[in-house]
Amino acid sequence: MTFQIEEELKKLPSSPGVYLMHGSRDEIIYVGKAISLKNRVRQYFQSSRGKTAKILQMVQNIAWFEYILTDSEMEALVLECNLIKEHRPKYNTMLVDDKTYPYIKVTVQEEYPRVLFSRDMKKDKSRYYGPYTSAGAVKDTIDMLHKLFRLRTCRRSLPDDIGKDRPCLNYHIKQCDAPCQGYITKEQYRESVQKAMDFLGGNFDPVIASLEKQMQACAENLDFETAMTFRELLGSVRHIAQKQKITDAAGQEDRDIIALAREKQDAVVQIFFVRGGKMIGRDHCYLTIDEDESEGQILSAFVKQFYAGTPVIPRELFLQSPLQDEELIGQWLSKKRGQKVTLRTPVKGEKARLVELASRNARLVLDQDREKLKREEKRTTGAALQLSQMLGLSECIRMEAYDISNISGVQSVGSMVVYENGRPKRSDYRKFKIRYVEGPNDYASMEEVLTRRFTHGLEEKAGAADPEIRGSFDRFPDLILMDGGRGQVGIAEAVLSDLGLSIPVCGMVKDDNHRTRGLYFQGKEVPLDHHSESFQLITRIQDEAHRFAIEFHRSIRSKEQIHSILDDIEGIGPARRKALMRHFKNIEAIQNAGVEELNAAPQMNAKAAQSVYDFFRAREKK
């Protein structure tokens, strides 16, 4: 599918939201927010004046982009932070700090609670408000709360320390009622704390009215400096008071928010993924429906298909409409999760607005990307269906492809890539170091890889696999693709036969230019139309298997080169090897360093430094 950037720019809405820039391998390379998506995204593709070198480089690597609508720029900012933390895009390095969100913490477990700034939410019985997006505004608000309600800022242990020391400066400047001296009762103090909590809980009007009144009084008395202070505090209060529907401040639940948009025989289901109370991403699925189907029937079919194939099931689903057979589906999801899963159809409040927001995004996808979605379905699930029909198979949902990489038989490695519904499933990719084959023997290496892969899969199915080895080998493919013809297919079929497995195996037959011209299947060559979607899918799978194997082999060679030089030096183990590489950056610098320089490196001592120095001097003499 070709993404026409100029055409897609014309479709951008003048609405707030978040945009995601993708690279050539579909990876997210940049996430940004905008008060107007139309204006902001278009700026990247206009004149280069005023753009930084990083942004210019990023623009050159954009293959396609997408966006998510929000109700306000504040919501877009919160969502932007969530997505950056989740995906860590290459060109968002300035925003990778995990401590993005500040909280306001009220230590209600103390007899004389304090209002504090916090970056972490702990299970310490305190009450947390947030997360917020402006640390400066949070600090200003906390300062304002201290001033308005005269709350303590000290760390004294009260009531144990009452009267043990003099009151601090805040008491003398009338910003604290000095509970440390007993000048205010515990009941009176907690009443002030409750007023502060009411404000943080959303009751902003009394505080805003008080600040406006004091600002106006100062201005009338020509005390403009104090009036400006109140104005700044008022701005901070209004900033912190903005509602953030994208973040669920009421709890730390995991939930999916599901809504759809439909038109005639087309429907798009939009899913927002909320984890730990924050939206971290979204997905959409295109469905072909009957016009007479209800929303509940469509959503029921979607939920059953979607959650049958995903390992992660949240505690709650927020749905646009009640499901058909909702009780039964709820029981099924609860059994898969191992805990109760609650299905809700909110009709008012923040939860209903989140569902409505998902519905708006589904409508946007349906209206603007209907043809693109159809092309994508044709390119992926359609191509897989076309391939299964061509080979006479019932289905080709999961396909696995294998490749071997080596240089003259040195450090041979194998790769396994997985495609499901015509899309790469990178979480199931696997790498193999060839253990038992010497020299450049691709057939024997492939036999070892396949034997290990399916033997481990059978062990996982039987519950006898090594628990330290990462799982998912127990999911067997509907079709195995070999990067070769009759010989590779024969190896695979022999391995499967020895293990008692019956899985179709298909080989990719090459022409004289090493390009795939057809498939070898069940003893005969099946021709391929080079313009078909199935041919394009096979080519992508083949290229991906090559890339994955070559990258793994390259990393092995790099590690071996470091090992062959440093690990042969007496007294240099893994810790000192890593310390030397971090300190000197490369082998050449280590080789040219003197004894004193080597001794100054972390983890080194005089004996080890002399050993490294002597080792390289001896190599030079040779």
Side-chain angles (χ1 to χ4, degrees):
M1 181 184 62
T2 302
F3 186 86
Q4 300 292 337
I5 290 181
E6 287 298 326
E7 290 300 316
E8 298 302 324
L9 288 174
K10 296 176 183 177
K11 302 177 184 178
L12 286 165
S14 299
S15 306
V18 172
Y19 52 91
L20 299 89
M21 303 298 192
H22 290 257
S24 58
R25 290 171 50 200
D26 283 350
E27 74 278 19
I28 297 174
I29 62 174
Y30 188 80
V31 175
K33 68 172 181 65
I35 193 169
S36 170
L37 286 166
K38 181 177 182 179
N39 295 339
R40 184 71 185 96
V41 177
R42 288 180 67 89
Q43 289 177 0
Y44 287 101
F45 302 95
Q46 294 173 348
S47 170
S48 61
R49 287 182 57 188
K51 293 186 175 68
T52 65
K54 178 178 284 189
I55 294 299
L56 290 173
Q57 185 182 22
M58 182 268 290
V59 171
Q60 294 174 358
N61 288 284
I62 297 174
W64 64 285
F65 60 81
E66 60 175 325
Y67 44 90
I68 303 174
L69 296 179
T70 61
D71 276 345
S72 68
E73 188 180 18
M74 173 62 70
E75 290 182 8
L77 178 61
V78 175
L79 179 55
E80 176 195 35
C81 292
N82 293 340
L83 293 173
I84 289 172
K85 290 177 72 174
E86 176 68 15
H87 300 289
R88 299 186 179 277
K90 178 179 179 180
Y91 293 100
N92 280 103
T93 51
M94 72 292 289
L95 296 175
V96 298
D97 185 4
D98 287 336
K99 297 181 179 179
T100 301
Y101 296 113
Y103 295 86
I104 295 177
K105 173 181 178 180
V106 183
T107 59
V108 293
Q109 74 275 19
E110 298 177 343
E111 292 194 43
Y112 292 84
R114 294 169 293 159
V115 179
L116 306 172
F117 179 95
S118 177
R119 287 283 185 181
D120 302 309
M121 183 179 287
K122 301 177 182 178
K123 294 182 179 180
D124 56 4
K125 298 183 180 179
S126 295
R127 186 167 298 176
Y128 290 84
Y129 297 88
Y132 302 106
T133 57
S134 171
V138 169
K139 291 175 182 177
D140 285 346
T141 302
I142 292 174
D143 183 55
M144 179 271 301
L145 292 173
H146 286 148
K147 293 176 181 177
L148 283 180
F149 303 110
R150 298 191 176 191
L151 305 178
R152 73 186 184 104
T153 60
C154 64
R155 298 182 180 180
R156 295 177 183 178
S157 179
L158 303 181
D160 295 343
D161 291 343
I162 289 180
K164 289 185 178 181
D165 205 348
R166 294 179 298 175
C168 66
L169 178 62
N170 285 346
Y171 168 73
H172 296 290
I173 62 175
K174 298 182 179 180
Q175 290 187 11
C176 178
D177 285 330
C180 60
Q181 300 301 310
Y183 295 165
I184 182 174
T185 66
K186 183 171 70 173
E187 291 73 21
Q188 290 173 324
Y189 182 83
R190 292 194 74 95
E191 185 178 342
S192 297
V193 171
Q194 186 59 52
K195 291 179 180 178
M197 292 169 62
D198 289 343
F199 166 77
L200 293 172
N203 188 13
F204 313 116
D205 292 342
V207 174
I208 291 175
S210 176
L211 286 173
E212 288 177 338
K213 182 178 180 180
Q214 293 179 74
M215 180 181 67
Q216 188 64 33
C218 291
E220 291 175 356
N221 294 329
L222 304 182
D223 186 359
F224 298 115
E225 185 175 350
T226 305
M228 186 177 295
T229 300
F230 282 117
R231 186 185 68 179
E232 291 173 353
L233 284 174
L234 186 60
S236 296
V237 170
R238 285 173 172 160
H239 184 84
I240 211 72
Q242 292 187 53
K243 301 290 283 182
Q244 299 177 18
K245 294 199 301 297
I246 288 295
T247 296
D248 181 5
Q252 296 293 305
E253 295 296 339
D254 292 349
R255 57 174 58 101
D256 289 352
I257 299 155
I258 302 172
L260 66 85
R262 59 184 300 182
E263 186 172 321
K264 296 183 179 179
Q265 294 182 334
D266 295 328
V268 169
V269 176
Q270 183 87 30
I271 317 104
F272 286 171
F273 305 108
V274 177
R275 300 294 181 262
K278 303 185 190 72
M279 180 176 164
I280 61 169
R282 61 91 181 258
D283 198 2
H284 61 258
C285 297
Y286 185 84
L287 302 177
T288 300
I289 61 172
D290 291 331
E291 292 188 44
D292 295 334
E293 282 188 291
S294 67
E295 289 186 354
Q297 290 174 316
I298 298 169
L299 290 175
S300 295
F302 167 77
V303 167
K304 287 186 286 188
Q305 295 177 46
F306 184 80
Y307 291 103
T310 178
V312 179
I313 298 177
R315 184 184 294 274
E316 292 181 320
L317 300 186
F318 287 175
L319 299 155
Q320 184 178 4
S321 300
L323 300 181
Q324 188 180 45
D325 299 326
E326 185 168 293
E327 183 177 352
L328 181 62
I329 292 174
Q331 293 173 356
W332 172 64
L333 291 172
S334 299
K335 184 177 180 180
K336 283 180 66 69
R337 175 181 167 85
Q339 293 178 326
K340 182 174 176 58
V341 176
T342 304
L343 307 182
R344 303 183 188 278
T345 307
V347 295
K348 61 181 180 180
E350 295 295 323
K351 296 174 182 178
R353 280 190 281 272
L354 275 170
V355 173
E356 193 273 334
L357 193 61
S359 176
R360 284 174 52 199
N361 278 273
R363 172 55 59 181
L364 179 74
V365 172
L366 184 62
D367 288 347
Q368 296 190 350
D369 297 337
R370 184 183 293 110
E371 292 303 319
K372 185 179 76 173
L373 285 169
K374 287 183 177 179
R375 291 196 302 270
E376 178 68 10
E377 291 294 314
K378 185 178 179 182
R379 175 178 180 265
T380 53
T381 55
L385 177 62
Q386 188 181 81
L387 180 61
S388 65
Q389 292 173 343
M390 183 174 63
L391 298 177
L393 303 176
S394 59
E395 60 182 9
C396 275
I397 295 175
R398 181 183 174 99
M399 292 180 281
E400 293 180 3
Y402 297 83
D403 193 22
I404 302 295
S405 179
N406 62 64
I407 296 179
S408 300
V410 177
Q411 289 289 359
S412 291
V413 299
S415 70
M416 168 184 132
V417 300
V418 179
Y419 273 61
E420 286 192 358
N421 293 313
R423 297 180 176 88
K425 188 177 183 182
R426 294 184 174 86
S427 61
D428 282 4
Y429 285 16
R430 293 295 181 266
K431 306 170 183 176
F432 301 84
K433 286 185 180 180
I434 305 302
R435 299 172 180 170
Y436 311 117
V437 178
E438 297 291 339
N441 191 333
D442 284 357
Y443 281 2
S445 297
M446 185 62 73
E447 181 181 12
E448 177 185 328
V449 167
L450 293 170
T451 301
R452 287 165 55 191
R453 181 263 181 270
F454 287 103
T455 298
H456 192 80
L458 290 170
E459 290 173 349
E460 282 190 2
K461 286 179 179 291
D466 186 345
E468 294 185 0
I469 300 177
R470 193 157 55 117
S472 81
F473 280 109
D474 61 336
R475 296 197 61 198
F476 288 172
D478 302 309
L479 178 67
I480 296 174
L481 291 169
M482 307 301 296
D483 185 39
R486 179 177 303 179
Q488 293 273 21
V489 171
I491 291 292
E493 289 178 339
V495 170
L496 295 172
S497 177
D498 290 344
L499 295 174
L501 297 174
S502 179
I503 300 174
V505 182
C506 187
M508 291 176 268
V509 183
K510 310 293 193 306
D511 60 18
D512 294 337
N513 296 317
H514 201 69
R515 293 178 298 191
T516 300
R517 72 165 187 258
L519 299 176
Y520 183 80
F521 184 65
Q522 295 181 343
K524 60 182 180 181
E525 184 175 330
V526 180
L528 278 174
D529 178 2
H530 285 204
H531 300 289
S532 67
E533 293 293 345
S534 56
F535 175 80
Q536 299 298 329
L537 175 60
I538 289 170
T539 301
R540 290 195 298 274
I541 295 174
Q542 183 183 34
D543 291 344
E544 181 70 352
H546 283 325
R547 179 199 65 79
F548 194 54
I550 290 170
E551 284 188 0
F552 181 41
H553 189 253
R554 186 181 295 124
S555 68
I556 294 294
R557 293 203 317 270
S558 177
K559 292 177 182 178
E560 179 63 21
Q561 289 169 358
I562 295 173
H563 168 84
S564 64
I565 297 174
L566 296 183
D567 285 5
D568 290 340
I569 304 175
E570 184 179 353
I572 302 300
R576 282 179 174 159
R577 181 193 69 201
K578 292 178 183 178
L580 284 170
M581 289 302 295
R582 280 197 298 264
H583 184 75
F584 289 99
K585 307 302 182 186
N586 55 63
I587 295 293
E588 185 179 359
I590 297 173
Q591 182 176 346
N592 295 331
V595 176
E596 292 184 0
E597 293 177 280
L598 292 166
N599 191 27
Q603 302 281 344
M604 295 294 288
N605 56 33
K607 183 178 179 180
Q610 188 66 50
S611 181
V612 174
Y613 182 82
D614 292 342
F615 175 84
F616 284 111
R617 300 294 85 73
R619 283 173 57 90
E620 290 174 359
K621 291 178 181 179
K622 294 180 181 180

